[in-house]
Amino acid sequence: MAADPADAAEVEKLYEFGERLSEAKDKSEVPPFLSYSAVVFVLYLAPDSLFGKFCAILNKNEHVGDYEGIIVAVKGQSVKAKQLAAQLIPRFFKHFPTLAADAMMAQFDLIEEDELAIRVQAIRGLPLLCKDTRGYVPKIVDVLGQILGSEENVERDAVHKALMSLLRQDVKASLTALFHHIEREAEDNNVREKVICFLKDKVFPLKTELLRPQDEMERFVTDLVKKSLQDVTGSEFKLFIDFLKSFKMFGDGASPENIRELIEIIEAQADLDAQFNVADVDHIDRLVSCMYMALTFYTKGASSSKFVSYCNKHIIPVLDKLPEEKRIGLLKTVAASSKYASAQDSRQLLPSIVQLLRKYMPGKKAEDMSYDYVECLLYAFHHLAHKTPNTTNSLCGYKIVTGQPSDRLGEDFSENYKDFTERLTATEETVRQTMKKLTQGMSEHNKALSAAKTDEAKSNIKSEQQKTTTKLRICNNILAMTKPLHVKTPSFIGDDKISLSWLEPAKKPQASSAGSSVKRPQSSTNGSSTVKKGRFDGGNQNQLMNRAFEGISRGGGSNRGRGWGGKGRGRGYR
């Protein structure tokens, strides 16, 4: 098909403009005062009269018309001419500062063209506009951020490359513009999500290259992240916290001030200043997730006081009113956090835990009980009582001497002791009976698995086996924790001997070389060995975190934005 003569003429004209400008550039015919630095001098230092003369001289320059002709071509009909204009506008942009606004708008117009080839060429040219004029970086990054969600792979790839080029030109300005899409209330949530994905996939992995000097840039990005947390989803918040955790300033050897800063960010997201509403599923989800997130920082000296106090004051008193699927999640967070509670917080929380134990541990042998509840509560009881043992005198009748007036050894709490130990005994009987059934069921599962013919049947049986194994672990843990509580002066478990059932067992250390002495693992009740664990090492922290986010509901009953679990967002750091 023959080319349109008008199109060919328009393209030819653009080539002429480009050639003349190129030749003028080579021969320094474009006046040197057209450089960006000279314009800045005129705009900011020169008097108004000199500025007027400057513009008059500039407008008389013979090459201005050529560049204007290139800009005008954007309004034409020729696809090839627009593609060529998309190349020429950035190439000579720095030489015509008085036409910068028109040139930039023309380039932006090309990005909105229907023709893919034009859009891609225009996007590729955007970084060149900033090569010598970095003041345009924020505006151009903002525009590119709006088209990150392109469905065309070629166009999306061009946007990614353009953004990375701009980040390398001016990382502070570029990141500020990108985070602005997250911070502000975007009309199109798709833009916001695409920007976050770009940061996660393209920017965060290159933090070592981009964030230089390290200390200054880590602080800069931390402040950007904090401003962006006013309204984030659960997965977004976890993404940003994980990114901050990778910084040197928050890593091993981080100062107490920096660790406290991260904990305060998490506490703010959990909205611990809000009055708790049992119907606010969104808040419950955020609370559970943030409590799990905070665990890793307790090992570095951060205080768990705010979370523990909030649970004791707002959650435990209304635990029975919470949705069933949320109740166990909250109990797990309390259990996992209990080992990090201070003595003062333990003294405040322990009575509530004992009250719940009396509720969920039957007074006599029962057919069934809430085993996972009892495991969490006994675990919390041991760790809290280990820090404030004399508090258990009035609660459970234990005679523990610490030499403090709070020992209350002269008072008679024998009825409390009798009631508590009877419940322990009844619980143990119920657990042992259940374990017999579970062991028998496991044998039946093994037989059924051998006889299964289809993959679906085998998968179903394996799923049941896993459930049985988990329940057996719960039962073993309960027996391991009730056994030491039958004496007047029990030894409370305050270390890592008990591995909570929802965590994967820690890997056993490699056998020592010949001649080395190796301690045998201590045996727990029922002949099962109890594996010692580190203080929520990295693997366990990830398990806790993953389970927290797996349990988040979609949607939620909150009126605070998009909802923490699905498309809603919670409160941010203030």
Side-chain angles (χ1 to χ4, degrees):
M1 182 177 179
D4 189 328
D7 285 358
E10 190 172 355
V11 171
E12 183 62 29
K13 192 66 176 176
L14 284 178
Y15 275 120
E16 291 178 9
F17 291 153
E19 287 175 4
R20 281 203 296 267
L21 290 173
S22 295
E23 291 172 359
K25 179 182 178 184
D26 294 340
K27 298 177 181 180
S28 300
E29 290 182 11
V30 176
F33 57 73
L34 292 181
S35 68
Y36 182 69
S37 59
V39 173
V40 171
F41 170 79
V42 172
L43 291 177
Y44 292 98
L45 300 179
D48 293 341
S49 59
L50 182 57
F51 177 70
K53 292 180 180 179
F54 172 84
C55 290
I57 295 172
L58 183 63
N59 288 330
K60 290 181 180 179
N61 183 273
E62 61 180 311
H63 301 294
V64 170
D66 291 341
Y67 195 61
E68 285 179 329
I70 295 172
I71 295 173
V72 170
V74 172
K75 302 295 184 182
Q77 301 298 319
S78 171
V79 171
K80 290 184 177 180
K82 289 181 180 182
Q83 280 185 263
L84 184 55
Q87 298 178 52
L88 296 176
I89 288 174
R91 184 182 302 174
F92 304 108
F93 180 77
K94 68 178 181 179
H95 298 294
F96 300 95
T98 60
L99 297 176
D102 292 339
M104 187 175 295
M105 290 308 300
Q107 197 77 1
F108 289 161
D109 287 342
L110 292 172
I111 292 174
E112 298 179 0
E113 287 286 334
D114 292 334
E115 187 69 34
L116 175 62
I118 298 175
R119 298 201 307 270
V120 171
Q121 189 62 59
I123 291 168
R124 289 171 178 168
L126 287 177
L128 296 177
L129 300 180
C130 309
K131 190 173 182 181
D132 297 286
T133 52
R134 291 191 177 182
Y136 298 127
V137 169
K139 177 62 177 176
I140 293 176
V141 171
D142 180 74
V143 171
L144 287 170
Q146 296 176 46
I147 55 176
L148 267 172
S150 171
E151 295 181 359
E152 296 287 348
N153 292 335
V154 176
E155 183 176 14
R156 189 166 59 250
D157 182 63
V159 173
H160 287 175
K161 289 180 178 178
L163 281 171
M164 293 307 300
S165 176
L166 291 165
L167 278 161
R168 291 184 171 93
Q169 288 183 37
D170 191 332
V171 65
K172 280 190 174 182
S174 299
L175 286 176
T176 300
L178 286 171
F179 271 92
H180 187 58
H181 281 293
I182 304 170
E183 181 183 350
R184 69 190 177 193
E185 285 293 331
E187 294 181 2
D188 185 0
N189 282 328
N190 183 56
V191 172
R192 186 178 181 282
E193 292 167 3
K194 294 300 181 182
V195 169
I196 291 175
C197 286
F198 175 76
L199 289 171
K200 175 176 69 75
D201 297 335
K202 303 294 183 180
V203 180
F204 290 176
L206 296 178
K207 68 178 187 296
T208 303
E209 172 192 345
L210 295 174
L211 304 186
R212 294 291 180 186
Q214 185 176 20
D215 292 344
E216 176 187 338
M217 288 305 300
E218 285 187 354
R219 169 47 56 194
F220 178 78
V221 174
T222 298
D223 292 340
L224 285 179
V225 169
K226 288 165 67 172
K227 291 178 183 178
S228 303
L229 297 179
Q230 297 298 322
D231 202 9
V232 291
T233 65
S235 58
E236 290 167 357
F237 184 65
K238 181 179 182 296
L239 167 69
F240 286 127
I241 291 297
D242 286 346
F243 182 52
L244 293 182
K245 282 165 57 179
S246 72
F247 282 179
K248 175 186 174 183
M249 65 183 289
F250 297 118
D252 294 337
S255 68
E257 292 77 15
N258 287 347
I259 296 300
R260 184 163 57 248
E261 180 180 11
L262 271 184
I263 279 292
E264 287 174 354
I265 293 173
I266 296 172
E267 289 171 347
Q269 192 66 210
D271 208 3
L272 299 182
D273 294 327
Q275 181 64 39
F276 185 71
N277 178 4
V278 294
D280 190 348
V281 178
D282 178 78
H283 191 192
I284 297 172
D285 287 337
R286 278 186 291 117
L287 182 64
V288 171
S289 301
C290 289
M291 286 184 71
Y292 276 129
M293 226 176 291
L295 287 172
T296 185
F297 302 109
Y298 297 155
T299 64
K300 299 180 179 181
S303 171
S304 64
S305 184
K306 280 194 174 183
F307 277 116
V308 172
S309 298
Y310 190 87
C311 286
N312 190 37
K313 181 179 179 181
H314 296 283
I315 306 299
I316 292 179
V318 296
L319 188 67
D320 290 343
K321 297 179 181 179
L322 297 176
E324 174 68 24
E325 68 276 8
K326 305 300 177 186
R327 205 178 303 163
I328 185 59
L330 282 165
L331 283 178
K332 286 180 178 180
T333 63
V334 171
S337 301
S338 64
K339 66 191 311 182
Y340 306 108
S342 67
Q344 181 178 351
D345 290 333
S346 298
R347 192 173 295 110
Q348 297 295 323
L349 181 58
L350 191 56
S352 300
I353 296 298
V354 172
Q355 184 178 357
L356 287 174
L357 276 171
R358 288 197 173 99
K359 177 179 178 60
Y360 290 107
M361 288 198 309
K364 56 183 179 179
K365 184 179 177 181
E367 289 296 323
D368 201 4
M369 66 179 184
S370 301
Y371 297 90
D372 44 2
Y373 287 26
V374 173
E375 179 196 19
C376 291
L377 292 168
L378 281 172
Y379 187 89
F381 174 80
H382 271 280
H383 281 282
L384 297 174
H386 180 75
K387 299 181 183 73
T388 176
N390 55 358
T391 304
T392 62
N393 189 1
S394 60
L395 297 174
C396 311
Y398 293 131
K399 301 292 185 180
I400 298 177
V401 181
T402 65
Q404 299 296 321
S406 54
D407 287 349
R408 302 176 69 178
L409 296 177
E411 300 179 57
D412 183 13
F413 296 108
S414 57
E415 284 300 316
N416 290 351
Y417 177 76
K418 179 182 178 182
D419 175 75
F420 195 70
T421 53
E422 284 179 353
R423 291 179 183 278
L424 290 172
T425 301
T427 297
E428 289 170 338
E429 291 177 358
T430 302
V431 167
R432 290 192 181 100
Q433 186 63 36
T434 299
M435 290 183 72
K436 290 181 180 179
K437 294 179 181 179
L438 291 172
T439 303
Q440 181 180 353
M442 185 62 79
S443 176
E444 293 172 356
H445 290 326
N446 292 335
K447 292 178 181 179
L449 186 62
S450 300
K453 302 297 183 182
T454 65
D455 291 340
E456 181 180 0
K458 291 179 180 178
S459 177
N460 292 335
I461 295 170
K462 288 179 180 179
S463 177
E464 291 301 315
Q465 282 181 320
Q466 183 60 47
K467 292 178 182 178
T468 302
T469 300
T470 299
K471 199 163 186 179
L472 280 168
R473 289 185 65 194
I474 294 174
C475 290
N476 270 311
N477 280 345
I478 291 173
L479 293 176
M481 289 186 285
T482 56
K483 183 179 179 180
L485 300 179
H486 284 284
V487 295
K488 287 281 187 178
T489 55
S491 57
F492 300 117
I493 300 171
D495 53 22
D496 303 297
K497 290 179 181 178
I498 301 297
S499 172
L500 289 164
S501 62
W502 66 86
L503 298 178
E504 295 298 328
K507 292 182 179 180
K508 293 183 179 181
Q510 295 291 332
S512 302
S513 57
S516 300
S517 60
V518 180
K519 290 184 178 180
R520 288 181 175 272
Q522 295 183 357
S523 296
S524 67
T525 49
N526 301 309
S528 63
S529 62
T530 304
V531 182
K532 286 195 174 186
K533 299 167 66 65
R535 289 179 64 81
F536 286 104
D537 56 14
N540 288 341
Q541 291 165 7
N542 289 336
Q543 294 165 31
L544 287 167
M545 190 82 70
N546 291 338
R547 281 156 178 74
F549 282 93
E550 285 171 5
I552 289 176
S553 66
R554 309 301 291 181
S558 172
N559 293 321
R560 291 191 286 268
R562 299 184 301 160
W564 175 260
K567 298 193 175 181
R569 290 179 264 167
R571 293 184 189 267
Y573 180 86
R574 304 187 193 284

